[in-house]
Amino acid sequence: MRARAVGILFNEQQDVLLMRRRKEGRVYATLPGGGIEEGETPAQACARELLEEVNLEVDVLEEVLTLENQGNQEHYFRVVWRSGEMRLGDGPEGVRHSEQNWYNPEWVSVDDLDGVNLVPAELHP
């Protein structure tokens, strides 16, 4: 089992930050996050992953959800934006980005979440 840390970030309009993704012909959306590295706490990994994926420095607040998804234990944290301009970051997602395998960070209204194929299914309101 691999542990992951995920950030839940809202803007002033109460839209949530999602990473739209196309992989192997499948289009879906996730909350930004990724694997916890050796020696990191889940909260530290959450902050690092948001910087790598969407170029934002965040303050990690409380953990709001832990779930198992495809054999991974996932820790979901509420985060607040501290600095940075939202864009695809310089981490692994930015390196792997291509026409066939793309990543697109974007703000999505909570009212529109059903239309974005948000995964995992447990995150649907």
Side-chain angles (χ1 to χ4, degrees), residues 1-58:
M1 183 184 306
R2 183 169 184 219
R4 295 184 73 245
V6 179
I8 304 169
L9 177 63
F10 291 93
N11 65 14
E12 292 176 357
Q13 293 75 33
Q14 294 304 300
D15 300 324
V16 65
L17 180 60
L18 298 182
M19 182 67 82
R20 296 269 196 151
R21 179 92 162 88
R22 178 171 46 191
K23 181 179 179 183
E24 299 169 359
R26 184 172 166 231
V27 178
Y28 58 95
T30 64
L31 292 164
I36 300 171
E37 296 178 356
E38 188 171 332
E40 274 185 322
T41 67
Q44 290 168 332
C46 180
R48 177 185 50 76
E49 285 289 338
L50 268 86
L51 182 59
E52 288 179 1
E53 287 192 8
V54 296
N55 194 51
L56 297 179
E57 291 187 23
V58 297

Side-chain angles (χ1 to χ4, degrees), residues 2 4 11-12 15 23 25 29 32 34 53-54 57 59 69 77-79 84 90 92 95-96 102-104 110 113 116:
R2 183 169 184 219
R4 295 184 73 245
N11 65 14
E12 292 176 357
D15 300 324
K23 181 179 179 183
E53 287 192 8
V54 296
E57 291 187 23
D59 291 322
N69 176 34
F77 293 90
R78 189 168 66 89
V79 300
D90 299 324
V95 172
R96 292 190 304 248
W102 53 257
Y103 301 81
N104 184 36
V110 173
L113 287 178
V116 297

Side-chain angles (χ1 to χ4, degrees), residues 45-122:
C46 180
R48 177 185 50 76
E49 285 289 338
L50 268 86
L51 182 59
E52 288 179 1
E53 287 192 8
V54 296
N55 194 51
L56 297 179
E57 291 187 23
V58 297
D59 291 322
V60 179
L61 304 179
E62 74 274 6
E63 186 169 354
V64 296
L65 175 68
T66 303
L67 60 89
E68 187 173 322
N69 176 34
Q70 299 180 344
N72 297 316
Q73 183 179 27
E74 297 184 339
H75 301 268
Y76 289 80
F77 293 90
R78 189 168 66 89
V79 300
V80 293
W81 187 342
R82 185 172 1 127
S83 66
E85 181 180 337
M86 196 267 291
R87 63 169 173 79
L88 183 60
D90 299 324
E93 291 75 16
V95 172
R96 292 190 304 248
H97 184 80
S98 69
E99 283 189 34
Q100 295 78 31
N101 181 32
W102 53 257
Y103 301 81
N104 184 36
E106 65 182 70
W107 297 106
V108 175
S109 168
V110 173
D111 295 334
D112 296 334
L113 287 178
D114 285 337
V116 297
N117 191 22
L118 179 62
V119 296
E122 292 88 346

